[in-house]
Amino acid sequence: MYRNYSLWSFLAKFSVISSAEIEAMQGQIKVFTEVTTLQLAEWRKTERYCDYILNQLALLPIHKEKRKERATLLMYINYLMLVYKLKATQLKRKQLLPADVPNLIQKKLLESFTITGLTPGSSKEVRAIPARLKDKLIAHLLVIALYVDEFVLNLHEIQKDLRIGQQKLLNHVKALGCKVAASKYLDNPGAKTAVLAIPLTFPNMKARSKGRGRN
């Protein structure tokens, strides 16, 4: 359905969301496309989803295909946030993500953003999310959020959801090629907006690691 749409082609090109993942989510996104005002209020009360997603759901387009497109992006951001928020104790579980996350996506996310190894002096396998993979996950999440916000991203909500310092978040968006400006839409005088001029280029994580090693 989305094969000829430039947005999905772009995301697939940079290995953010594959066409197979997009298709796998079409059953799950109904909870977003059919959301009601009452349901949104309940989700806010229970903190069912992060603030960024809840605020975007309140702005979903009326046009059917555009609504599905936006819901798909927001659902993938939700999946990324689920992995991002996994604690060390949770990483020991056999089932790391909710059962309603498609198996194909669970496998992709865990392979992309976690590593496994053996504990010292033991044959027990453990899973972890090293800093470099958490940075990679944040980069992927920001790319999708930039698309959702048409390349002008209010960083205030994302920063609260990611629970990271402003400077670290600014470093991430700058690494993606964004320019940073003071936000014109918030009362918070310190709020920032990331503006991206496409085409987008991901940072070379290996090169950055080597550079740190030379210091």
Side-chain angles (χ1 to χ4, degrees), residues 128-140:
I129 306 177
R132 62 180 177 83
L133 292 184
K134 183 155 282 193
D135 285 346
K136 178 183 175 183
L137 191 158
I138 292 173
H140 279 64

Side-chain angles (χ1 to χ4, degrees), residues 27-178:
Q28 278 65 35
I29 65 170
K30 287 183 179 180
V31 69
F32 284 174
T33 59
E34 299 176 2
V35 67
T36 64
T37 302
L38 184 63
Q39 184 67 69
L40 262 180
E42 179 64 22
W43 286 347
R44 288 187 188 279
K45 183 178 179 181
T46 61
E47 299 182 344
R48 176 68 177 82
Y49 300 100
C50 67
D51 285 345
Y52 177 79
I53 290 176
L54 292 173
N55 290 338
Q56 288 296 331
L57 286 174
L59 303 172
L60 283 180
I62 297 176
H63 184 276
K64 182 179 178 180
E65 290 305 315
K66 290 183 178 179
R67 191 175 181 89
K68 289 175 65 177
E69 171 194 302
R70 184 71 58 82
T72 301
L73 294 174
L74 293 175
M75 186 59 73
Y76 204 84
I77 287 177
N78 176 50
Y79 295 157
L80 288 171
M81 287 298 297
L82 290 174
V83 177
Y84 180 82
K85 291 181 177 181
L86 286 173
K87 295 180 172 60
T89 52
Q90 294 173 315
L91 288 168
K92 296 177 181 179
R93 299 174 182 171
K94 184 176 181 179
Q95 181 70 34
L96 300 183
L97 298 175
D100 61 350
V101 179
N103 290 334
L104 179 149
I105 295 178
Q106 289 199 38
K107 185 174 185 294
K108 157 80 175 296
L109 295 182
L110 294 179
E111 287 180 350
S112 298
F113 303 116
T114 71
I115 59 173
T116 57
L118 300 178
T119 56
S122 170
S123 59
K124 185 177 180 180
E125 188 176 73
V126 293
R127 189 179 295 272
I129 306 177
R132 62 180 177 83
L133 292 184
K134 183 155 282 193
D135 285 346
K136 178 183 175 183
L137 191 158
I138 292 173
H140 279 64
L141 190 152
L142 289 172
V143 169
I144 301 172
L146 281 161
Y147 260 109
V148 169
D149 280 295
E150 298 180 353
F151 309 107
V152 181
L153 177 62
N154 174 355
L155 298 177
H156 182 66
E157 294 171 347
I158 291 286
Q159 183 183 345
K160 287 198 305 180
D161 289 332
L162 294 175
R163 299 180 182 178
I164 60 176
Q166 185 183 72
Q167 189 56 54
K168 183 172 182 179
L169 182 57
L170 294 180
N171 290 341
H172 276 290
V173 296
K174 288 177 181 178
L176 290 173
C178 294

Side-chain angles (χ1 to χ4, degrees), residues 2-3 5-13 17 22 68-70 72-73:
Y2 300 108
R3 193 168 299 170
Y5 194 25
S6 60
L7 167 61
W8 307 115
S9 298
F10 183 93
L11 292 174
K13 177 181 177 181
I17 307 177
I22 293 165
K68 289 175 65 177
E69 171 194 302
R70 184 71 58 82
T72 301
L73 294 174

